[in-house]
Amino acid sequence: MVKQWEILESKNRFYCDGRCLTGRDIGVFIFALILITITSGLFFGFDCPYLTYRLSPAVPVFAAILFLSVICFIFRTACSDPGILPRATPDEVLYLERSNITSSPQSVALPGRTIEVQMHTGHVIQLKFCSTCKIFRPPRVSHCSLCDACIANFDHHCPWVGNCVGLRNYRYFYSFLMSLSFLCIYILAFNIINIVLRAQDKPSFADAIRDTPATIVEALICFFSIWSVLGLWGYHTYLICRSVTTNEDIKDTWNTSRRGAHMKNPFSRGNPCLNCFAALCGPLPPSFLNLRAIVTPDNNNINMSPTRMMNTINIDETRQYQLDDNNYQRHSSPVPPHSDRQQNRYPSYDYV
Amino acid sequence: MEDTTRLTNDQSIKLFIQRDYSEGTAVKFQERFPPELEGKIDRAKFTDIIRHINSIYEDAEGLSCKTFMENCCACLTGYLLLLCMPTHYEKCVKRAARYISDENDHTLNPKGIFMIDPMEKGLRCIEVCITNNRR
């Protein structure tokens, strides 16, 4: 039985029978994990025993909480669906070609057409056609060439988590940056405290350092990481408050002075607190992909459950309806009494 | 004159109701009545169905204290809480699916119209299939 994740056209990797997905290149992600684990391991192994004895047992407890948070958030960011939009079915493409929803004439091929959307703030946004996914990209959606998919609220593709950061995993990414910043600062601070305390007991600094050589290694790793991690966390806090994605910031989409007229960001809710609240605690849609549904001959083109078909007034009508693009009439195959697709649609624990 | 929306064969027509992005990225479908449905169903009735679907998704995407508490609790448990219980959004999606299924059974199917849950298409559009030949 083939499941949807096995035939998905994007360049993602899938694990646990479609429950988790990551980007294609996870080498840097594995490296980041190893670095974090080794640094924390050295801290627990070399600094904590002495600090527990000298200061309090709370030191390793807080460190453990921070470390577990970092691991939890990095896995959550790396392994969740960032908001991949499913590609258009052939029927949908045909409908778009023949419809007049775009502002361009029908003689222009789809990739050359754009849809203009007049927003409530007065902006006119142009929606471009994505040739790979065959959809008109909604606002804030961008096609990631590394993952080969259109991602909702595309922020950026992060090699450190081996996945795109988009609508559905942005808050996990932000939490990961926040907890990693705290962990770095915590380890660095206690490394310094460790050396200082030991130096008070020993005749010289050199002796103290010789007692715990790992401390210097950890301190160096943390010192060099802190600038980038803390910097990135600060940058994303600034972006969240303005309700701008990294992609939009790089392209300077909402720059008011360049366009002459005063252009406010139409996605901002007015004040920074509300923007933060919406970005971090707002509602989250489930995955658009339904990765673990079983592929049936119907759902590649029509996406309709056989049970619904069987319930219609005229069975023959519906059998005739199940034609593929080549107008080949499918012979009526035994339809399962309750479609697997329907059953798999919303299992409670299946959200990636 | 060739009917330009005839997509699969003489017996059926498919049309796709697109999203309305004028108010932002919130889930909202265009409430205009497709000309292909002229004569098949009452204009107000069909627009009402779309409007009701829009209201369900508006409820799903609304910022409220309930959403805030849900997300805060989830964050405090390291987002493990989300593995155990469905979120408000997921409940709304199920509610919309149930509503569409009911409307299909009671109102639309007798007229030869099938409406497909937009979640199947990643909330990009509502697919409506119209069968033409009636015995």
Side-chain angles (χ1 to χ4, degrees):
Chain A
M1 265 190 299
V2 179
K3 298 218 172 146
Q4 286 282 19
W5 64 265
E6 297 177 66
I7 61 163
L8 204 70
E9 298 108 329
S10 60
K11 287 187 190 157
N12 295 94
R13 290 171 188 257
F14 299 92
Y15 306 96
C16 300
D17 194 27
R19 287 189 181 87
C20 310
L21 64 82
T22 67
R24 188 186 49 182
D25 302 317
I26 54 172
V28 185
F29 167 57
I30 304 275
F31 170 69
L33 265 181
I34 291 176
L35 195 63
I36 294 170
T37 314
I38 287 183
T39 313
S40 309
L42 289 175
F43 181 72
F44 286 122
F46 287 90
D47 298 65
C48 281
Y50 181 72
L51 287 169
T52 315
Y53 155 70
R54 263 310 282 267
L55 292 176
S56 106
V59 171
V61 168
F62 281 121
I65 293 175
L66 279 175
F67 173 68
L68 286 173
S69 314
V70 169
I71 296 296
C72 190
F73 291 136
I74 198 180
F75 271 107
R76 192 80 206 202
T77 313
C79 298
S80 44
D81 176 4
I84 297 174
L85 294 180
R87 298 188 181 188
T89 53
D91 274 338
E92 213 180 316
V93 179
L94 232 54
Y95 176 79
L96 288 175
E97 270 176 7
R98 296 174 190 188
S99 73
N100 57 356
I101 53 174
T102 67
S103 44
S104 327
Q106 279 185 356
S107 52
V108 180
L110 275 179
R113 300 195 217 165
T114 58
I115 296 181
E116 302 213 333
V117 178
Q118 173 89 30
M119 304 219 48
H120 63 118
T121 52
H123 296 93
V124 177
I125 298 187
Q126 295 237 334
L127 306 185
K128 299 203 180 74
F129 186 74
C130 178
S131 314
T132 319
C133 302
K134 307 252 189 303
I135 58 171
F136 279 97
R137 267 185 235 129
R140 302 194 116 177
V141 168
S142 193
H143 188 94
C144 174
S145 47
L146 291 162
C147 298
D148 200 24
C150 274
I151 313 280
N153 275 38
F154 179 73
D155 195 80
H156 66 285
H157 183 101
C158 184
W160 297 100
V161 298
N163 201 0
C164 277
V165 177
L167 171 71
R168 297 188 68 249
N169 61 357
Y170 187 66
R171 64 193 60 185
Y172 308 136
F173 178 69
Y174 185 80
S175 310
F176 160 64
L177 287 178
M178 187 164 75
S179 52
L180 190 60
S181 305
F182 287 159
L183 185 67
C184 277
I185 295 173
Y186 192 87
I187 290 183
L188 188 62
F190 278 101
N191 283 342
I192 295 173
I193 291 174
N194 187 15
I195 301 275
V196 164
L197 288 177
R198 279 182 198 262
Q200 286 172 353
D201 298 339
K202 292 288 161 89
S204 74
F205 256 118
D207 282 334
I209 291 172
R210 221 171 294 137
D211 269 348
T212 54
T215 308
I216 296 295
V217 173
E218 295 162 43
L220 279 173
I221 294 175
C222 286
F223 180 75
F224 286 116
S225 319
I226 255 185
W227 303 110
S228 35
V229 177
L230 213 55
L232 207 53
W233 178 39
Y235 176 61
H236 277 279
T237 309
Y238 168 65
L239 288 183
I240 283 182
C241 291
R242 285 173 52 209
S243 185
V244 171
T245 64
T246 308
N247 198 30
E248 285 165 0
D249 195 48
I250 289 175
K251 294 186 182 161
D252 222 6
T253 319
W254 309 118
N255 187 350
T256 57
S257 53
R258 196 150 51 95
R259 312 259 167 127
H262 182 69
M263 256 181 109
K264 251 176 11 99
N265 178 0
F267 303 109
S268 167
R269 288 161 204 261
N271 82 66
C273 292
L274 214 51
N275 286 339
C276 277
F277 174 45
L280 299 176
C281 302
L284 208 57
S287 171
F288 300 128
L289 292 176
N290 197 18
L291 293 167
R292 300 187 62 233
I294 294 173
V295 176
T296 67
D298 300 330
N299 62 11
N300 281 336
N301 197 23
I302 299 175
N303 283 342
M304 199 152 115
S305 78
T307 46
R308 225 173 283 159
M309 304 285 252
M310 297 300 270
N311 287 338
T312 57
I313 34 162
N314 196 329
I315 304 287
D316 286 340
E317 225 173 281
T318 58
R319 290 224 181 107
Q320 267 176 329
Y321 181 78
Q322 286 177 40
L323 296 179
D324 64 14
D325 286 352
N326 298 325
N327 270 346
Y328 169 71
Q329 180 133 23
R330 244 175 261 282
H331 297 295
S332 50
S333 47
V335 171
H338 190 75
S339 165
D340 282 321
R341 185 174 172 79
Q342 202 74 348
Q343 275 170 334
N344 278 343
R345 182 69 212 145
Y346 302 118
S348 56
Y349 52 82
D350 245 23
Y351 292 98
V352 170
Chain B
M1 191 185 78
E2 191 211 16
D3 185 347
T4 55
T5 54
R6 221 155 270 211
L7 293 168
T8 47
N9 62 1
D10 283 340
Q11 275 85 27
S12 53
I13 297 172
K14 267 196 206 176
L15 56 100
F16 297 85
I17 296 173
Q18 304 291 321
R19 282 270 294 271
D20 177 7
Y21 293 112
S22 59
E23 283 170 32
T25 47
V27 178
K28 186 174 180 214
F29 296 96
Q30 289 180 355
E31 286 169 11
R32 47 172 268 265
F33 185 73
E36 296 90 347
L37 286 174
E38 205 72 58
K40 289 228 145 206
I41 188 172
D42 185 30
R43 180 182 281 254
K45 217 182 255 184
F46 187 78
T47 332
D48 261 344
I49 296 176
I50 306 285
R51 220 170 267 155
H52 195 265
I53 297 173
N54 280 344
S55 72
I56 297 177
Y57 279 106
E58 197 184 325
D59 178 30
E61 301 222 338
L63 291 183
S64 63
C65 279
K66 187 176 173 207
T67 330
F68 176 65
M69 288 311 300
E70 196 177 64
N71 280 288
C72 274
C73 291
C75 183
L76 288 173
T77 61
Y79 295 107
L80 297 172
L81 192 69
L82 297 178
L83 300 173
C84 307
M85 49 165 257
T87 63
H88 177 63
Y89 205 114
E90 287 158 17
K91 289 185 194 145
C92 287
V93 167
K94 276 192 210 162
R95 192 153 50 105
R98 250 196 324 267
Y99 173 73
I100 291 175
S101 174
D102 285 340
E103 286 298 317
N104 266 333
D105 289 336
H106 299 134
T107 318
L108 299 172
N109 284 2
K111 300 185 161 70
I113 305 174
F114 306 89
M115 186 182 276
I116 291 166
D117 186 8
M119 198 65 209
E120 311 264 336
K121 296 256 173 224
L123 292 178
R124 282 189 296 103
C125 52
I126 303 178
E127 186 176 335
V128 178
C129 312
I130 313 168
T131 52
N132 262 350
N133 66 337
R134 306 279 311 270
R135 300 258 176 90

